[in-house]
Amino acid sequence: RSTTQRNDRPASSAHRPSEVHPGRTPLSVWRSPEFAIAAGAGLSTFGMGLLLPVLPAYVVQLGASATQVGFLFAASAVAGIIVSVPAALLTARLGRPMLLIGAPATVALASVWCGLAGSFSTLAAFCIVEGGMAGAYATASTSAIIADARPQRSGRALALYQGAALLGIATGPALGGLIGPQHVRELFFTNAVVAALVASWLAARLGRDQEPV
């Protein structure tokens, strides 16, 4: 009798099977906000990576020195660090979609001006804007992945995000190096198109009902 009573008891939470969100299929994951954010990260790093191999030669064409080339890279990275803190505050106050869409849209405009730059100072100013917006997107997108993913799938969501970003980092510079510095202005315009596509993609995806992955 005691054995029967034990068998009739509901299984403890430690032994219950993991809950499966109804209707989750590969297609629904592809349509999820988390996938859109990860794809946005991959495209963003791809677009920025296009410029890395050719930017030093472009800066030299504008009459800058090797020291100024180093300053440009450092200033862009510092801008991303500085912007990350207020971006986190704005994300909490205005919501993540504001930055997730606004940051790549700003990068698109800044990249156009970089391609049209006739002086090092103009190029540096808009590259710093791009660096700051990259930091803002990284902050908003990471917080979105962590907040929206289900606890049992947070690792998968973060892996998807990091994998997409690293794929962009790997492929962007490779393609930029193949194209070469003779088309550097066109690469800036290509980055602008990519960033605009990211903003449009996220605007379409994040405007729908969000379900955790």
Side-chain angles (χ1 to χ4, degrees):
R1 182 178 181 180
S2 59
T3 302
T4 304
Q5 289 177 347
R6 283 196 300 269
N7 292 337
D8 291 339
R9 292 175 185 172
S12 64
S13 58
H15 298 286
R16 288 176 185 169
S18 300
E19 293 183 0
V20 178
H21 188 71
R24 300 307 291 181
T25 65
L27 182 60
S28 63
V29 172
W30 180 80
R31 291 175 175 174
S32 69
E34 287 77 13
F35 183 89
I37 293 168
L43 288 172
S44 296
T45 55
F46 170 80
M48 298 293 285
L50 283 173
L51 307 171
L52 291 179
V54 299
L55 191 55
Y58 184 43
V59 172
V60 171
Q61 289 176 13
L62 296 176
S65 64
T67 302
Q68 290 174 306
V69 173
F71 164 79
L72 181 60
F73 282 109
S76 298
V78 170
I81 295 171
I82 294 174
V83 170
S84 293
V85 175
L89 299 177
L90 287 174
T91 297
R93 177 165 298 194
L94 302 178
R96 292 186 296 272
M98 178 73 71
L99 282 179
L100 290 172
I101 298 168
T106 305
V107 168
L109 295 175
S111 195
V112 169
W113 283 106
C114 285
L116 297 174
S119 66
F120 173 75
S121 58
T122 301
L123 175 67
F126 286 104
C127 279
I128 290 172
V129 171
E130 287 192 17
M133 291 301 98
Y137 183 85
T139 298
S141 58
T142 304
S143 67
I145 292 292
I146 294 173
D148 292 343
R150 292 176 175 272
Q152 66 271 28
R153 295 186 175 93
S154 59
R156 185 189 68 179
L158 284 172
L160 176 65
Y161 175 83
Q162 291 291 341
L166 290 172
L167 181 61
I169 292 172
T171 55
L175 182 58
L178 288 174
I179 294 174
Q182 62 271 22
H183 300 292
V184 63
R185 292 184 186 272
E186 288 83 354
L187 288 176
F188 272 108
F189 299 143
T190 301
N191 183 40
V193 172
V194 171
L197 288 174
V198 171
S200 301
W201 167 271
L202 291 174
R205 289 300 177 191
L206 299 181
R208 302 182 179 185
D209 293 335
Q210 297 191 24
E211 290 185 11
V213 170

